[in-house]
Amino acid sequence: MRRLNAVNRKQALKVVKELDAFPKVLDDYKETTATGGGVSLAVFGVIIILVLSEVIYYARTELKFDYEVDTQMDGKLKINIDITVAMRCNALGADVVDSTGQNFGHSNFGSLEMDDTYFELSTEQRRYLDIIQDVNKYLREEYHAIQELMWLSGSVYTSFRKGMPERKDKPSHRPDACRIHGTLVVNKVAGNFHITAGKSIPVFPSGHAHISFNIGDNEMNYTHRINHLSFGDIVHGVVSPLDGEEKITKDNYHLFQYFIQVVPTEVRTYRANVDTYQYAVTERNRTINHAKGSHGISGIFYKYDLNSLKIRVREQHQPIWQFLVRLCGIIGGVFSVAGMMRNWSGFLADIICCRFHLGKYKESDSSSSSSQILTQSLTDDSSFNNSPKVNLLQSGT
C-alpha cells in the first residue's frame, strides 16, 4: 500500500513538472557577458525610476464629481460679504429682498458691520489683491479647472487662507470709504442684495425705501472693491469668482449689477468636509443719466438665484488593485522590451561584423572538406591494394 502511494505521488509530481511554465536552465549552459551586465543595470535603473513615479502618482488624489437634484429647498442660505465702497458709511444702506416679496434689513436677517476705512490699499494689501486677481484671471482665461485649486488637498496657495492682511500704517487724511462685512442668512430662494445711497426705511405694506435727499451729488461714488463674496459655509483657501474684483467709476450716478447663479455643493475631501455653494456670475454696469435715457437707481446690486442641481465632490485615491497591476506591467514590460532590444541589437551587430552569412558558406571550407573526402577515399583504395591476395582453387584441380 505504501509503495502504491509513493508511485502515485511520483506520477503526480511528474505531471506537475510537465506543466512547469518556468523551466530552469542549468548554470553550465548560461553565458554571462559584460554587455549583458550593463544592460541589466540600465534595466534595473529604469524600473526603479518608473516604480517611484508610480508610487508618487498613487499617493496623489483625484476628485470625483456626481450630480443630483437638490431636495433641501426649505433651508437657509448664508451670504458672506466683505465689500469696500468709496463712500462714507453714514451715506450708505445695505438690504436684502427675496423673490417671495419679503424684505429683510441686514439688522433683522443677519449681522453686517459698516466700518470707516481707506479705499487706497497698503503695499501688503495690494500685493495680496494682485495675487487674487491673477488667479481668477488665469482660471477664467486659460486653465478652466477651478476644482483643482479649490478642493484638492495640498494644491491651495497658503496666502489665501489668511484673507486680506490688516493695514499697519494709517494715512494722514480722514477715512474716505466704508467697509461692509459680515454674514446674512436668507431664505433659499432667489433674491438680491444691494448697496445704495441712504439708509432704508420700511414701506407699508411691504418693501422699503432709501432716504438720500440729504446726500449731495459730489458725495456719491460707487467705486468699490469686493474683498470676498461667497455663499454657504466659509471654506478657507477657496477663491470665489468675485474675490478681488475692483470697479472704478468717475460718475457720481452709476449702476453696477452682478447676476449670480448659485449651485449647492457638497464637499467631502481630506481637507474639507462642508456643505457649501459655488457660483457663476455675469456683470454689467452703466451710468445713470435721465437726460440721455439711461434710467434706473444708482448703486451696487447682487441678484442671485439657486440651481436645482447639487454637485457632490469627493476626493479619493487610485484603487490598490490598479496600482498593483500597473507595477506588474512596469516590471514585466521593461524586462520584455529590454530582452527584445538586446536580441535585436546582437543580431544587427552580428550582421555588421559578418559573423552570420545567412546560408552562404566559405569556398575554402567546401574545398577543404572535399579534399578530405578524396584523401580518405584514396587511403581506402591503397589499403585495399595492400591486402593479401588469396587464390581460389576449383575442387577439380
Side-chain angles (χ1 to χ4, degrees):
M1 188 66 180
R2 294 180 178 176
R3 293 180 179 178
L4 182 60
N5 292 334
V7 171
N8 292 334
R9 281 197 295 269
K10 290 181 179 180
Q11 292 179 352
L13 290 175
K14 184 178 180 181
V15 173
V16 172
K17 289 181 179 179
E18 291 178 354
L19 296 176
D20 187 8
F22 307 97
K24 306 299 185 294
V25 180
L26 297 177
D27 294 337
D28 296 338
Y29 296 98
K30 295 181 180 179
E31 182 181 359
T32 58
T33 60
T35 304
V39 172
S40 299
L41 291 176
V43 167
F44 289 138
V46 172
I47 290 177
I48 291 174
I49 294 174
L50 293 179
V51 168
L52 290 178
S53 64
E54 189 64 28
V55 171
I56 294 173
Y57 175 75
Y58 175 74
R60 296 177 180 175
T61 56
E62 59 183 8
L63 296 176
K64 183 178 181 181
F65 296 84
D66 298 321
Y67 303 90
E68 61 183 25
V69 177
D70 184 20
T71 57
Q72 300 177 354
M73 298 304 296
D74 56 347
K76 297 294 183 178
L77 176 66
K78 292 182 179 180
I79 306 178
N80 308 300
I81 301 167
D82 188 353
I83 302 170
T84 303
V85 184
M87 290 178 63
R88 294 181 293 108
C89 289
N90 57 7
L92 286 174
D95 297 278
V96 179
V97 179
D98 65 15
S99 60
T100 63
Q102 298 184 36
N103 174 39
F104 305 102
H106 68 81
S107 60
N108 299 327
F109 212 67
S111 59
L112 284 182
E113 298 182 5
M114 304 178 72
D115 300 329
D116 291 327
T117 186
Y118 303 94
F119 192 81
E120 187 68 24
L121 296 175
S122 64
T123 303
E124 188 177 357
Q125 291 176 330
R126 175 56 62 181
R127 187 183 302 113
Y128 171 84
L129 191 70
D130 290 341
I131 294 175
I132 297 292
Q133 291 176 346
D134 291 341
V135 170
N136 275 330
K137 181 179 179 181
Y138 178 63
L139 292 173
R140 285 195 302 264
E141 298 180 0
E142 299 182 26
Y143 197 54
H144 306 295
I146 193 172
Q147 70 276 4
E148 296 187 8
L149 180 66
M150 291 178 65
W151 296 306
L152 202 61
S153 295
S155 63
V156 179
Y157 292 99
T158 56
S159 58
F160 295 162
R161 299 179 181 176
K162 299 180 180 179
M164 177 72 74
E166 294 291 336
R167 190 185 194 99
K168 297 180 180 180
D169 58 331
K170 292 185 179 181
S172 58
H173 60 84
R174 296 176 57 185
D176 57 353
C178 181
R179 180 191 175 197
I180 304 172
H181 60 98
T183 299
L184 296 177
V185 183
V186 300
N187 295 325
K188 208 172 180 180
V189 294
N192 77 80
F193 165 73
H194 54 270
I195 302 172
T196 188
K199 301 298 181 181
S200 63
I201 58 173
V203 177
F204 183 82
S206 63
H208 68 280
H210 289 266
I211 306 301
S212 60
F213 62 89
N214 59 341
I215 302 175
D217 294 345
N218 58 346
E219 296 183 56
M220 293 189 180
N221 184 1
Y222 291 102
T223 296
H224 64 281
R225 177 173 55 249
I226 303 175
N227 304 316
H228 178 72
L229 180 65
S230 65
F231 296 83
D233 294 333
I234 297 178
V235 181
H236 294 286
V238 172
V239 181
S240 300
L242 285 177
D243 286 1
E245 194 74 13
E246 195 171 29
K247 297 294 183 182
I248 308 296
T249 179
K250 297 181 180 179
D251 301 319
N252 298 113
Y253 294 93
H254 205 95
L255 172 63
F256 294 94
Q257 292 177 306
Y258 298 91
F259 301 92
I260 301 173
Q261 188 69 31
V262 183
V263 182
T265 306
E266 179 182 293
V267 182
R268 298 292 182 265
T269 66
Y270 296 105
R271 186 172 53 87
N273 185 14
V274 295
D275 294 328
T276 184
Y277 296 84
Q278 301 180 80
Y279 67 88
V281 60
T282 302
E283 59 182 83
R284 62 187 298 265
N285 67 87
R286 59 187 174 89
T287 300
I288 301 298
N289 191 333
H290 299 287
K292 295 183 179 180
S294 178
H295 305 291
I297 301 175
S298 59
I300 307 169
F301 292 81
Y302 300 90
K303 299 183 178 182
Y304 60 88
D305 193 7
L306 281 91
N307 199 300
S308 59
L309 293 179
K310 179 171 69 174
I311 299 177
R312 297 181 60 193
V313 183
R314 291 180 295 169
E315 185 179 7
Q316 59 186 11
H317 284 279
Q318 180 185 0
I320 185 64
W321 63 266
Q322 188 174 356
F323 171 68
L324 295 177
V325 169
R326 292 169 68 98
L327 282 183
C328 295
I330 288 174
I331 297 174
V334 171
F335 269 114
S336 299
V337 172
M340 294 173 59
M341 293 179 63
R342 183 177 180 277
N343 293 336
W344 279 102
S345 60
F347 179 71
L348 293 176
D350 289 336
I351 293 178
I352 294 174
C353 297
C354 300
R355 293 178 60 184
F356 291 150
H357 300 278
L358 301 180
K360 296 180 180 180
Y361 297 93
K362 293 181 180 180
E363 295 181 358
S364 59
D365 294 341
S366 60
S367 60
S368 60
S369 60
S370 59
S371 61
Q372 291 177 0
I373 297 173
L374 180 59
T375 305
Q376 181 67 30
S377 62
L378 293 175
T379 305
D380 294 340
D381 292 341
S382 60
S383 60
F384 177 76
N385 295 327
N386 295 330
S387 61
K389 297 182 180 179
V390 179
N391 294 325
L392 298 179
L393 301 177
Q394 296 182 357
S395 59
T397 56

